Amino acid sequence: MLKLPIYLDYSATTPVDPRVAEKMIPYLFEKFGNPASRSHSFGWEAEAAVEEAREEVAKLVNADPKEIVWTSGATESNNLALKGAAQFYSGKGKHVVTVKTEHKAILDTCRELERQGFEVTYLDVRDNGLLDLEVFKAVLRPDTILASVMFVNNEIGVIQPIAEIGEICRARGVIFHVDAAQATGKVVIDLEALKVDVMSFSAHKTYGPKGIGALYVRRKPRVRLTAQLHGGGHERGFRSGTLPTHQIVGMGEAFRLARLEMGAESERIRMLRDRLLKGLSDIDEVYVNGDLEQRVPHNLNISFAYVEGESLLMAIKDLAVSSGSACTSASLEPSYVLRALGREDELAHSSIRFTLGRFTTEEEIDYAIRLLHEKIGRLRELSPLWEMVQEGVDLSTVQWAAH
Amino acid sequence: MSYSVKVLDHYENPRNVGSFGKEEEGVATGMVGAPACGDVMKLQIKVGKGGVIEDAKFKTYGCGSAIASSSLVTEWVKGKTIDQALDIKNTQIADELALPPVKIHCSILAEDAIKAAVADYRKKHAESV
């Protein structure tokens, strides 16, 4: 029996896998000790659990457990990485490079770095959402100290060429940070091979709990960061604060499951995504946003031309998805990511992001396809733009009264 | 975001959706908004003898509040003279639909659509008025 609404917003967050939840629960009451307590078994037990989880996180990305620092999530990881590296290496230079399609946790942190006196270059992407390596190379300067590029884009799911960017950064002596919040459990991450210096992780995008994340900080060659949270000197001084054992245990188990199951899971999800795409492709004027090849199978971001995103969300309220349109904001700005792809505003306003995950079923996908067919037809009947296009009007030649 | 019952009703059951033939007697069209802003409204009025709006139709590209605002306006203008129609204010539309502050622009657009349709009517009938 199909349960409504259907969750197709796994890039916003994922449910905690029941196996993960089960493993977390004992650490709330029975095994509640502070992992920093050195004088009794309560502390030792908690510490052992934290270190086991650290090993699991390290294993998923082929790193050394000593390179993993616990944080409250990817936003904090990104803040610590960017501010910490920029401040520590500011003696070498004050130029930072990032990309316009990064998550707000990167872009807003870069704005803060600008306020602190750093200069930040925000790079454009190609119309498929991918960074052009030549463009990247060209902006590096002798005073460039830090570059930050996300692994997998949260809106369109495209996979940036992290290996190639890493080579360029290493050759130029630039610290390279990667926001991998959307990548864990979706793409193979091998930090032995990748020349990445700092990498951010989140638990709740990979079937772990919210409020916990980690930062990988390379030891060979050693990367230094200026701490942003001061206190008890936890996490070797990188990040003070009592460790939330239950959440850490959850993240460890979630990442262990991701390591064991991602191969089969990605194949299953790819099949479902292809089914969704095929099911929608017979609707007129449907466009996929972002490269379809260099992309995680979990994401399908589609523009349904001449239908506004928010009204479409209302029409398909049986589906929990998100829209690139932000008509709720006073500025009426559509998604900055889609704009960076050079999508016309009307297509950016018409986009829906479907993100599939561990618990998505074929039945749910088929329901979504049927519902979209019906509702797109209805909304286009309501759309003056669709009517004009059917009459052969070229919308780009119309003089709109902008408001 | 959450919508009021009235917005949902107009959105689920929009009144007077469609278009009149452009050549039909007494038909005037107001098209406002821009695709880049995320909403475009087309309001058509059919004006009979004595300047009374006998019928109205709309099509809207936009969010639920924009669709509801234009649907509501087609109901309100019917039976009014074009001068009375011009008295409809965005605040009345916003109140009726209980629009939240971020959606006030939808009601403004609907008021603009009435003005644009009436202006089109007056332009077409400048000689006869």
Side-chain angles (χ1 to χ4, degrees), chain A residues 10 13-17 20 60 180-186 202-209 250-251 253-255 257-259 265 358:
Chain A
Y10 280 82
T13 193
T14 60
V16 174
D17 190 296
V20 170
L60 178 65
Q182 296 283 353
T184 47
K186 299 194 181 98
S202 166
H204 78 100
K205 309 284 192 189
T206 312
Y207 309 96
M251 182 166 180
E253 179 65 2
F255 275 40
L257 294 172
R259 176 168 55 85
E265 183 167 287
R358 186 168 291 170

Side-chain angles (χ1 to χ4, degrees), chain A residues 85-299:
Chain A
Q87 288 164 9
F88 191 89
Y89 294 99
S90 61
K92 275 181 67 188
K94 292 214 145 189
H95 183 227
V96 177
V97 178
T98 189
V99 186
K100 286 184 181 167
T101 52
E102 291 291 304
H103 191 271
K104 285 289 181 192
I106 295 292
L107 296 176
D108 284 355
T109 305
C110 284
R111 292 286 179 220
E112 171 58 21
L113 286 177
E114 289 182 272
R115 283 189 286 272
Q116 292 180 11
F118 292 89
E119 187 189 332
V120 183
T121 301
Y122 301 89
L123 292 174
D124 282 311
V125 291
R126 289 181 285 169
D127 60 8
N128 61 3
L130 294 169
L131 183 58
D132 186 328
L133 294 172
E134 293 308 314
V135 169
F136 179 76
K137 253 188 235 170
V139 298
L140 297 181
R141 316 189 307 215
D143 65 335
T144 306
I145 50 170
L146 172 66
S148 183
V149 179
M150 73 203 318
F151 213 131
V152 172
N153 184 273
N154 51 309
E155 282 195 34
I156 54 176
V158 298
I159 305 167
Q160 296 291 1
I162 297 303
E164 291 83 349
I165 300 168
E167 295 292 341
I168 297 167
C169 287
R170 186 61 56 83
R172 302 286 290 267
V174 173
I175 297 287
F176 182 33
H177 168 254
V178 173
D179 175 0
Q182 296 283 353
T184 47
K186 299 194 181 98
V187 293
V188 175
I189 303 175
D190 180 357
L191 286 165
E192 286 266 319
L194 294 173
K195 296 200 169 54
V196 172
D197 298 300
V198 197
M199 187 178 271
S200 301
F201 304 112
S202 166
H204 78 100
K205 309 284 192 189
T206 312
Y207 309 96
K210 293 165 188 61
I212 183 74
L215 186 66
Y216 160 86
V217 185
R218 184 175 287 281
R219 284 163 71 89
K220 288 177 192 160
R222 190 172 176 206
V223 173
R224 314 278 298 269
L225 302 174
T226 301
Q228 303 294 314
L229 275 182
H230 303 92
H234 305 79
E235 299 298 282
R236 289 172 290 117
F238 277 117
R239 200 272 190 185
S240 290
T242 296
L243 295 174
T245 313
H246 62 295
Q247 283 168 291
I248 289 171
V249 165
M251 182 166 180
E253 179 65 2
F255 275 40
R256 187 181 76 85
L257 294 172
R259 176 168 55 85
L260 298 177
E261 298 178 358
M262 68 181 275
E265 183 167 287
S266 288
E267 275 325 297
R268 195 185 72 86
I269 288 171
R270 181 181 306 278
M271 195 194 74
L272 292 175
R273 196 268 313 266
D274 290 348
R275 189 182 183 91
L276 178 60
L277 179 59
K278 187 164 172 284
L280 299 179
S281 54
D282 59 342
I283 301 176
D284 282 339
E285 307 244 24
V286 165
Y287 304 94
V288 175
N289 297 307
D291 197 272
L292 204 48
E293 297 302 317
Q294 284 300 312
R295 184 193 198 102
V296 293
H298 309 65
N299 173 297

Side-chain angles (χ1 to χ4, degrees), chain A residues 310-311 315 349 378 382 387 403, chain B residues 3 11 19 36 42 60 103:
Chain A
E310 196 181 317
S311 63
H349 274 298
R378 185 179 102 86
L382 260 173
E387 181 182 66
H403 57 290
Chain B
Y3 292 93
Y11 174 80
S19 301
K42 189 187 79 166
T60 290
K103 294 296 187 186

Side-chain angles (χ1 to χ4, degrees), chain A residues 306-308 310-311 314-315 317 327-328 332 345-346 349-350 378-379 381-382 384-385 387-388 391 400-401 403, chain B residues 1 3 8 11-12 14 17 19 31 33-40 42 58-64 102-103 105:
Chain A
Y306 318 118
V307 174
E308 193 273 335
E310 196 181 317
S311 63
M314 259 176 105
K317 56 183 184 300
C327 188
T328 47
L332 305 184
D345 282 343
E346 49 263 52
H349 274 298
S350 305
R378 185 179 102 86
L379 286 168
E381 281 309 304
L382 260 173
L385 303 181
E387 181 182 66
M388 289 164 84
E391 288 167 357
W400 300 103
H403 57 290
Chain B
M1 75 179 302
Y3 292 93
L8 286 173
Y11 174 80
E12 302 279 351
V17 175
S19 301
M31 175 106 77
C37 305
D39 34 31
V40 175
K42 189 187 79 166
F58 86 98
K59 285 199 177 190
T60 290
Y61 164 88
C63 65
V102 293
K103 294 296 187 186
H105 67 273

